[in-house]
Amino acid sequence: MSKYRNDRAFTDYVHKNLARPLIYRPLNWTEVQLRQDYAKYIDMMDGIDYVFRNGDNIMSVQERFREVQYKDYSDFTIRYRRDENKVEERHESEYYKVKAHYFTYGIIDKPKSNVEKASGFIKYAIIDLKKVYEKLDSKAIFISDNRQNKCKIVDGNRIECPVKYNTDGSSSFFPIDISYLVKLWGDNMVIAQKGFL
């Protein structure tokens, strides 16, 4: 089984067995069942993993889950570039295409190899991506290939996010510290959370 399939299986398991009951159900978010071809299309083209409904409100979500070894991190990550991909149209990753309203980021209480024994999240957050992208567009959050490990607050009111590279050369990403979003721009940047603040 390829690494991608293992990652996909991990994410699917966490979504179904942990995120649905522990994150979305308390918010009264009900998952909308999409046609498989449409679900695949919006995932590839728009960075949308799931669509939920709460009354008349429709919420699109991108999810990323991590295993217990990431519990000390206070940020969520957005995939940035895939410059080593042989297909040039695939060099720009989710940062350039994501149209999801929200980003659900969670860290479970077990290693990935033992996911079926996980009972919950050490941390999770639902981040308002529309507000994050407004800050990126205005340069209040900016990406810098500065060889740093973590993002930092600069000029008292901006977040500088470093570009990080996966060791296998597959892609790069940048972290955004969730506590910095709330510190600079208030609670409305995060819809729900546990353990990050």
Side-chain angles (χ1 to χ4, degrees), residues 40-83:
K40 185 176 181 179
Y41 176 83
I42 62 173
D43 180 21
M44 286 177 36
M45 302 307 292
D46 299 330
I48 294 171
D49 293 326
Y50 296 99
V51 176
F52 294 89
R53 178 186 294 276
N54 181 349
D56 291 334
N57 297 321
I58 301 291
M59 293 79 63
S60 58
V61 173
Q62 181 168 103
E63 290 183 337
R64 181 145 316 117
F65 300 118
R66 296 284 186 243
E67 58 189 317
V68 66
Q69 75 183 57
Y70 294 93
K71 66 183 166 74
D72 294 331
Y73 290 90
S74 60
D75 49 42
F76 74 103
T77 59
I78 297 177
R79 291 186 188 110
Y80 189 43
R81 298 194 56 82
R82 292 186 162 108
D83 290 326

Side-chain angles (χ1 to χ4, degrees), residues 155-173:
D155 305 326
N157 62 354
R158 300 172 71 207
I159 301 175
E160 180 179 7
C161 302
V163 177
K164 305 290 295 169
Y165 296 89
N166 287 313
T167 55
D168 64 3
S170 63
S171 63
S172 61
F173 62 93

Side-chain angles (χ1 to χ4, degrees), residues 23-42:
I23 297 175
Y24 300 120
R25 191 174 297 144
L27 297 172
N28 294 316
W29 288 18
T30 305
E31 189 174 331
V32 175
Q33 295 304 311
L34 303 172
R35 272 191 358 252
Q36 191 172 6
D37 60 333
Y38 181 67
K40 185 176 181 179
Y41 176 83
I42 62 173

Side-chain angles (χ1 to χ4, degrees), residues 1-196:
M1 191 178 271
S2 75
K3 185 175 187 305
Y4 172 77
R5 290 186 187 274
N6 286 334
D7 286 346
R8 183 81 254 169
F10 169 75
T11 298
D12 289 345
Y13 184 90
V14 173
H15 170 78
K16 181 179 178 185
N17 296 285
L18 299 173
R20 276 187 193 162
L22 300 176
I23 297 175
Y24 300 120
R25 191 174 297 144
L27 297 172
N28 294 316
W29 288 18
T30 305
E31 189 174 331
V32 175
Q33 295 304 311
L34 303 172
R35 272 191 358 252
Q36 191 172 6
D37 60 333
Y38 181 67
K40 185 176 181 179
Y41 176 83
I42 62 173
D43 180 21
M44 286 177 36
M45 302 307 292
D46 299 330
I48 294 171
D49 293 326
Y50 296 99
V51 176
F52 294 89
R53 178 186 294 276
N54 181 349
D56 291 334
N57 297 321
I58 301 291
M59 293 79 63
S60 58
V61 173
Q62 181 168 103
E63 290 183 337
R64 181 145 316 117
F65 300 118
R66 296 284 186 243
E67 58 189 317
V68 66
Q69 75 183 57
Y70 294 93
K71 66 183 166 74
D72 294 331
Y73 290 90
S74 60
D75 49 42
F76 74 103
T77 59
I78 297 177
R79 291 186 188 110
Y80 189 43
R81 298 194 56 82
R82 292 186 162 108
D83 290 326
E84 300 302 315
N85 194 302
K86 292 175 184 168
V87 181
E88 189 172 341
E89 291 81 32
R90 295 183 185 161
H91 286 192
E92 295 181 344
S93 195
E94 72 188 14
Y95 165 72
Y96 298 94
K97 69 178 181 180
V98 72
K99 294 179 183 163
H101 295 107
Y102 301 105
F103 194 114
T104 299
Y105 194 81
I107 300 167
I108 66 167
D109 60 3
K110 295 288 182 211
K112 187 181 283 190
S113 60
N114 231 354
V115 65
E116 66 284 344
K117 296 200 170 156
S119 61
F121 292 95
I122 295 169
K123 297 177 177 180
Y124 72 80
I126 301 176
I127 298 107
D128 189 325
L129 266 187
K130 297 292 183 188
K131 290 182 176 151
V132 168
Y133 271 79
E134 286 171 10
K135 299 301 182 188
L136 283 160
D137 290 343
S138 72
K139 307 292 185 222
I141 298 174
F142 65 99
I143 303 162
S144 175
D145 198 353
N146 61 11
R147 309 270 184 230
Q148 299 297 308
N149 285 322
K150 296 182 177 183
C151 59
K152 60 185 177 182
I153 296 176
V154 295
D155 305 326
N157 62 354
R158 300 172 71 207
I159 301 175
E160 180 179 7
C161 302
V163 177
K164 305 290 295 169
Y165 296 89
N166 287 313
T167 55
D168 64 3
S170 63
S171 63
S172 61
F173 62 93
F174 62 94
I176 301 176
D177 192 297
I178 293 168
S179 67
Y180 291 175
L181 292 176
V182 173
K183 179 178 181 177
L184 294 181
W185 301 298
D187 292 359
N188 64 351
M189 296 294 286
V190 177
I191 303 306
Q193 72 86 33
K194 170 191 169 183
F196 278 105

